Amino acid sequence: MKAALLSIPALFLAAAANSDDIGFSGMPEMCASCHGRDGASSGSMPSLAPLDEESVRLLLEAYRSGEIEGTIMNRIARGLTDAEIASLAEYFGELEE
Amino acid sequence: MGIRGAETSRRGLLKLAGASAFAGVAGERAVAGVRGKVVVVGGGFGGAAVARYLKLHSAELDIVLVERNEKFSTCPFSNTVIGGFNELEFVTFGYEGLRADGVEVLIGNVVEIDAGGNSIRLSGGEGISYDRLVVSPGIDFKWDAIEGYDEAAAERMPHAWKAGSQTALLRRQLEAMEDGGLVVIAAPVTPFRCPPGPYERASLVANYLSERKPRSKVLILDSKDGFSKQGLFREGWERLYPGMIEWIGFSDGGNVIEVDARSMVVRTDFEEFRPDVANIVPPQRAARLLDTAGLAEGGDWCRVDPRTFESAAAPNIHVLGDACVAGAMPKSGHSANSQAKACARAIASLLAGESPREPAYINTCYSLLSEDYGISVAGVYRPDENGEIASVPGAGGSSPPDAPAEYRQAEAEYARGWFANITAEMFG
Ligand SMILES: Cc1cc2nc3c(=O)[nH]c(=O)nc-3n(C[C@H](O)[C@H](O)[C@H](O)COP(=O)(O)OP(=O)(O)OC[C@H]3O[C@@H](n4cnc5c(N)ncnc54)[C@H](O)[C@@H]3O)c2cc1C
């Protein structure tokens, strides 16, 4: 189960309590200071909202492995686990439509 | 809608949770369960972010933000004001966005935290009680750590290390200076707010001088033997401002021990300087307000839980940003923002009687050396088994040395993008 925020909680939290899901680590929020809230960037940083789940996953994996070279994204992606990448992809993929 | 996209965010998140059909119902019940009053002191990088994220996660919470000033001027990008690319308005923001989100913003000066009584007191005498308190008041200076450098001296020799009138003062002094003048920047001992800040400032001052007053010099007198992104700054200075910026480290006599603001004298262990403009960045500590509740435990900074940012000294009080000890995370606006997000989640959990989840943090410090020359240092962090916030091995680090001009240009663009997004997140 993909969990997200503590606003959804009580019942839901209890159900997901044993999940080490990304939603709980709050990682998507950590991307917002650069990429904008909800993946909608107001400046030069790329918006993540238009990307689908598969694209986000492939891009993050490619930045992590060094297959694509950016300015800073490689340094950040190298800190993400597989589970986090999967969940980030799902999260930003959901914002797509 | 107050915060741009807040609704979308909520929907996005609910949709995510909505993998289960009852998410909406569960949401309402959960929200009803998470009631309480959270008071936030300080509407800067930590405080504004935590207030908004608390409201976003737990709409039923009463959130009261107490801030001394009607408007907040960010230190990030204040060096571009000093360098003359931007006006002070560019870095100045109001609290309308937070109010529109339902955060109660009070303009007032907090003079006491009563940890035992779960309340704070304002200078007018009124008290405000809380279920949980979050403090992100930033730094205070250690006046007189440099002999002769007190608040009055700062009116002649600005620190410009809290943005606003000090930023404008330093800019005016640079504008008034004759060509051929000497600008001294005194950089403090670690830890201090924004490790690359003094060197970004030297760069942007040199940018202005090289265009308008090319016979002038910038002299950095440092109380340390090295500094953040040192190789990258030096590479940039040679490329952009050859011969204009000189750096003297601690061992070579850079440690400023005394100033005379009236006669404009700056003394180090070895030497005496007579600058035309003196920017003295004094040693720092957590805001003294925090001592009223013993949060710094007799020291300079406040120890906290690496997951919730709850004080090690007092229950129900969370300390964010520059004032806290956050392991490997530097004292930056981005760090404070990242901590605020984790703290908002932790508080929502704690008020709901749940145990907080495992957080991860990101920090980036972009520095501009000119309008189209940017460098950065980044990190990803997690609490480790010793209860410290540690850098994730292999992640993070600085921009590469000897990168092509297009790379530096791209980072300058991204620095502006970062500023646009993080300030919109806080105030937009
Ligand atoms: C020149 C310079 C450049 C910088 N550049 C960057 C950068 O590019 N990127 C970056 O990430 N960081 C940068 N920083 C660092 C950044 O400014 C700080 O790390 C950040 O502001 C810390 O956030 P905070 O919430 O702890 O404190 P602040 O953002 O300073 O907020 C504290 C707030 O609390 C209020 N307050 C304090 N005491 C009281 C009281 N008693 N009652 C009521 N209100 C009170 C203050 O008025 C203030 O609004 C820079 C700093 C400087 C000096």
Side-chain angles (χ1 to χ4, degrees), chain B residues 41-47 66-69 72 75-79 95 108-111 136-138 160-161 193-194 197 200-201 287 289 320-323 331-336 363-366 418:
Chain B
V41 176
F45 275 82
V66 189
E67 163 58 46
R68 194 181 270 156
N69 301 310
F72 180 74
C75 284
F77 273 70
S78 68
N79 285 333
Y95 293 96
N109 190 26
V110 181
V111 292
S136 195
W161 221 244
R193 157 176 288 186
C194 195
E200 177 186 69
R201 178 169 294 171
L289 166 69
L320 303 178
D322 290 351
K331 297 190 186 303
S332 76
H334 196 157
S335 288
N363 173 62
T364 310
C365 296
Y366 280 107
W418 170 85

Side-chain angles (χ1 to χ4, degrees), chain A residues 1-70:
Chain A
M1 186 190 310
K2 289 302 160 195
L5 283 198
L6 298 157
S7 56
I8 298 155
L11 231 163
F12 184 64
L13 269 185
N18 293 321
S19 144
D20 61 345
D21 191 276
I22 180 65
F24 288 123
S25 87
M27 192 59 102
E29 288 170 12
M30 301 298 166
C31 318
S33 32
C34 282
H35 288 287
R37 277 280 290 274
D38 312 310
S41 172
S42 51
S44 52
M45 291 279 179
S47 285
L48 301 182
L51 300 174
D52 65 20
E53 179 174 345
E54 185 68 353
S55 309
V56 176
R57 188 178 61 75
L58 290 173
L59 283 161
L60 288 175
E61 283 171 353
Y63 279 115
R64 188 173 62 174
S65 68
E67 195 184 324
I68 312 180
E69 272 187 49

